[in-house]
Each structure stands twice: as structure tokens, then as C-alpha cells.
Amino acid sequence: ESKNEGRNKLKVFDPATLHARQLQRQIVGELREAIRSGQLVLFYQPIVELSTGRIEGCEALVRWNHPVHGLIMPDQFIPVAEATGLIAELGRWVLRTAVGQLRRWRDNPATKQHDFSMRINVSAADLQSLEFVDDVGEALAEESLAPESLVLELTESAIIHNNELDRYTLASLHRLGVGLEIDDFGAGYSSMGYLRKLPVDRVKVDRQFVKDLGKDPSQLGFVAAIQEVIRSCGLEGVWEGIETAEQAEALRSIGCASGQGYYFGRPLPEMEFTEQLARQVVWPA
Ligand code: C2E
Ligand code: MG
Ligand code: MG
Ligand code: MG
């Protein structure tokens, strides 16, 4: 995160910054074509039930397999897509691809399990589009998947605009039956009041809170307090950025439900993730 801050500060003669800005301009022109010509790929990262070590789901994370620049990470092109309106098309591609993938895993004898769910990241702009709810419903229906098998991750900033359309879209998605999860909880400056008001089921806590677990002894109490806030709102917590066994163990010891992070597995392309899913248990319970 601190690396990103450094990158965003404008340094006039910094060749790296100059390169980044040239790359950005180029990206706008190429992204539309990239979506259509199949240069985007989804990687999948496991989400683990902490009490059992079982993979309960995965998060789909988009990458751009660029013919010249190689694998470009989402931080480099999602903001550009959002600023140019291309995000709607990108979002539809992610939705279709992730749901199609879930269908293939359900059909594969090595990986089929009923309660394995797919998470996708949804942009603020998607909630502003009236077609979005229909797109989600259609994508699930076409693959004969129950709505609960898809969870939409929404950042705080995407849902606390608190305008009429956002509230309407959220309520419609909730009625459709898809899971709704707040992503990067605690990363912004928003109040916690909305946790009790919005129709969400889960809260994914920002990885900054997991980072100091195992280093700073007082951090576990702090994390337990956050966990208690989430639980008292009737929601389930998902803890991201788990990189060590100590962090996983600490979270489990205070009753946290689910976890995600490099310790359990990095985001992987379809083939590699399928193998991990077939092995199933990633963490000794
Ligand atoms: P996010 O949704 O919060 O996703 C989690 C990010 O943390 C991912 O970065 C993931 O690779 C990374 N991560 C996972 N475990 C660990 C860990 O243990 N330690 C550390 N340091 N990092 C970990 P990634 O894939 O670069 O994605 C960055 C962000 O880009 C995502 O944050 C999400 O906001 C956005 N994004 C990714 N895919 C999509 C997409 O399909 N659509 C939209 N709208 N946004 C996306
Ligand atoms: Mg996410
Ligand atoms: Mg997150
Ligand atoms: Mg994020």
C-alpha cells in the first residue's frame, strides 16, 4: 500500500512516473480491444473456513495478459476502466467468466461440492447501472447456479454514496439472493453505522488489521473487538491478508469464520487452482 502512495505522488523528472503515465494513456486505448480479444484472465484465490481448513470459496481477481507488457495487475487498469466507462464491459466479462468457471468446477468430479462459492469484485459504477441486476440474474440462470453460489464484493466507497439508485440496486441484488460482502472494511474513513443498515451478509476486513497479528501482542484484542462488532451486527467476517500460520491460528482462536491470504494460497490461474481445489484441505485443522 505504501508503495502505491509513493507511485501516485507526481515526481516531474522521475522516469518511472513518466513511464507509468505513458503506460496509462496507452492502456485506455488498448483496454477495450483487450476485453474483446480475450487478453483478460481471471486468477482464483482460496477462501478458507478457519475452523476446518476447508476451501469454502474463491475470489476471482482479474489480470491483463498484455502481449507486450506481460501480466498487468488490476491496480494498473481498473481505475482507468472506471474513469472511462469501460468498467461496465469489463465487469460483465468478469461476471460471465467467473460464473462459467464455477459451473465447470461443479461439473468436474474432482472439484464438485455444493457449497463452494465464487466471489467477484464489483465497482461503484456497476451499482449505478440498472442493467447490472439483470446481468447477474441472467448469468446465474444460464449456468443453472443458485444465487447463493455467487458473492459480490463491494468496497465501502462503492456503497456509502447512499444515493437512491445504489440503495435500489443493493436491495434488488439482495432480493435476487446473491451474497453481498463489504470489501476492505476499515480501510476508509467511513462510520460503522452502515453495517446495521445495508442488506449485506459478510464483511471482509482490510488486511492492515491482520498484518500486525503475531508481532504486536495488543493487536489480537483489537482484532477480537472488530470481530465482535461484525458478529453483533449478525454478519460473518472474512479476514484477508493472512500470510503466516501464526496469523491464521490467532484468528481461529478468537472464532473468526473465514480467511484468505498468501499463507493459504496465492491467486492462481484456472488450471493450478483446480488442482488446489481438488486437494481440498489447505490447512490442517
Ligand atoms: P481486493 O478485492 O481487496 O483483492 C485482494 C488483493 O489482495 C488482491 O490483489 C490479492 O492478490 C491480494 N492479496 C491476497 N492475499 C494477500 C496476502 O496475503 N498479502 C498481500 N499483501 N496481498 C494479498 P490484486 O489481485 O492485485 O487486486 C487488487 C484489487 O483490484 C482488488 O482488491 C480489487 O479491488 C481490484 N480488482 C481485482 N479484480 C477485479 C475485478 O474483476 N473487478 C473489479 N472491479 N476490481 C477488481
Ligand atoms: Mg475483493
Ligand atoms: Mg479486499
Ligand atoms: Mg482492495
Side-chain angles (χ1 to χ4, degrees):
E1 240 85 88
S2 60
K3 230 196 320 181
N4 279 335
E5 272 165 35
R7 214 191 289 142
N8 290 339
K9 265 187 217 121
L10 190 70
K11 296 191 211 99
V12 179
F13 297 113
D14 184 348
T17 309
L18 188 63
H19 178 72
R21 281 159 68 204
Q22 279 168 350
L23 193 61
Q24 277 242 326
R25 258 200 300 277
Q26 220 178 312
I27 280 170
V28 181
E30 293 182 11
L31 188 54
R32 187 186 310 273
E33 195 44 41
I35 300 170
R36 292 175 188 169
S37 63
Q39 289 174 18
L40 297 186
V41 282
L42 290 182
F43 277 39
Y44 304 93
Q45 186 178 29
I47 294 166
V48 170
E49 185 178 62
L50 292 175
S51 62
T52 61
R54 185 183 73 91
I55 301 179
E56 60 169 49
C58 70
E59 178 174 7
L61 295 156
V62 71
R63 277 96 180 86
W64 178 359
N65 200 356
H66 192 282
V68 177
H69 302 292
L71 210 60
I72 305 181
M73 299 303 275
D75 291 342
Q76 299 281 310
F77 62 92
I78 291 287
V80 178
E82 284 174 337
T84 55
L86 266 180
I87 193 69
E89 197 173 335
L90 189 149
R92 270 194 298 275
W93 180 86
V94 169
L95 170 68
R96 295 271 161 179
T97 307
V99 164
Q101 180 63 67
L102 186 56
R103 171 42 66 204
R104 284 202 297 286
W105 282 327
R106 290 277 169 89
D107 291 341
N108 181 342
T111 55
K112 72 160 103 189
Q113 17 161 346
H114 297 296
D115 50 358
F116 177 85
S117 62
M118 174 68 75
R119 328 276 170 118
I120 61 173
N121 293 282
V122 167
S123 276
D126 291 319
L127 294 185
Q128 292 288 306
S129 150
L130 286 172
E131 286 117 71
F132 182 66
V133 183
D134 293 338
D135 288 345
V136 171
E138 276 164 30
L140 288 165
E142 271 169 32
E143 300 291 356
S144 313
L145 289 166
E148 312 85 73
S149 55
L150 183 68
V151 177
L152 306 178
E153 297 192 357
L154 309 132
T155 55
E156 289 174 306
S157 58
I159 50 176
I160 55 166
H161 289 154
N162 207 27
N163 67 43
E164 199 89 20
L165 191 54
D166 283 357
R167 275 201 303 274
Y168 178 78
T169 315
L170 270 186
S172 305
L173 289 166
H174 183 62
R175 227 175 303 121
L176 181 64
V178 295
L180 297 174
E181 176 173 291
I182 292 163
D183 201 355
D184 302 339
F185 176 69
Y189 298 96
S190 56
S191 83
M192 289 188 285
Y194 69 86
L195 282 186
R196 290 168 61 86
K197 295 185 188 126
L198 292 171
V200 295
D201 324 284
R202 296 181 187 80
V203 178
K204 194 185 274 184
V205 184
D206 193 70
R207 66 166 168 269
Q208 74 186 80
F209 299 106
V210 171
K211 209 171 60 194
D212 293 330
L213 273 181
K215 286 184 214 144
D216 176 355
S218 70
Q219 185 68 7
L220 187 59
F222 187 49
V223 162
I226 299 171
Q227 154 74 13
E228 188 50 32
V229 167
I230 293 170
R231 212 178 52 83
S232 70
C233 293
L235 303 171
E236 239 176 58
V238 183
W239 296 78
E240 71 178 349
I242 301 174
E243 296 185 354
T244 67
E246 294 73 44
Q247 290 167 344
E249 202 49 71
L251 290 166
R252 180 161 72 181
S253 76
I254 55 168
C256 295
S258 313
Q260 177 181 6
Y262 296 160
Y263 174 64
F264 299 118
R266 295 199 171 241
L268 294 173
E270 169 180 359
M271 295 286 269
E272 283 94 324
F273 187 74
T274 303
E275 282 165 30
Q276 188 179 12
L277 195 52
R279 285 196 306 272
Q280 197 26 246
V281 173
V282 294
W283 187 41

